[in-house]
């Protein structure tokens, strides 16, 4: 899932029901790949999605705090606690 840029995020919110599942602190030297294409080294958010028109189109993606805050603002979701 590609979530780089505001247009991509807005399209995702129109196409999917998106909710935050977790905000996780990474261990030392641990890395996670973001849906923006960047490598996360401190913490990440996990979001789950379900297609609005296709209930079988489901999955999850990871992103850093700036992108997560934008998704939370677009969806009106709550910020999960680390």
């Amino acid at each position: 899932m590609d979530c780089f840029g505001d247009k991509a995020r807005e399209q995702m919110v129109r196409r999917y029901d998106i909710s935050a599942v977790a905000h996780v602190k990474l261990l030392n030297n641990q890395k996670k790949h973001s849906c923006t294409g960047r490598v996360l080294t401190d913490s990440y958010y996990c979001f789950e999605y379900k297609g609005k028109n296709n209930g079988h189109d489901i999955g999850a993606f990871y992103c850093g705090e700036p992108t997560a805050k934008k998704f939370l603002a677009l969806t009106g979701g709550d910020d999960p606690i680390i």
Side-chain angles (χ1 to χ4, degrees), residues 5-6 9 13 47 64-76:
D6 290 337
R9 294 176 198 126
V13 169
F47 285 84
E65 186 170 353
T67 301
K69 296 294 184 186
K70 291 183 180 182
F71 274 116
L72 293 171
L74 288 170
T75 62

Side-chain angles (χ1 to χ4, degrees), residues 8-70:
R9 294 176 198 126
E10 290 166 4
Q11 287 176 339
M12 287 173 63
V13 169
R14 283 194 298 273
R15 189 172 175 191
Y16 299 100
D17 290 321
I18 298 174
S19 58
V21 177
H23 184 188
V24 180
K25 178 78 171 155
L26 291 164
L27 301 173
N28 289 338
N29 299 317
Q30 190 177 20
K31 297 177 183 175
K32 195 77 155 169
H33 290 276
S34 170
C35 61
T36 63
R38 296 190 170 110
V39 176
L40 305 168
T41 58
D42 180 55
S43 69
Y44 68 92
Y45 284 74
C46 177
F47 285 84
E48 63 182 10
Y49 64 89
K50 182 177 180 181
K52 291 182 177 181
N53 295 326
N54 178 356
H56 297 288
D57 186 4
I58 58 174
F61 62 90
Y62 309 105
C63 60
E65 186 170 353
T67 301
K69 296 294 184 186
K70 291 183 180 182

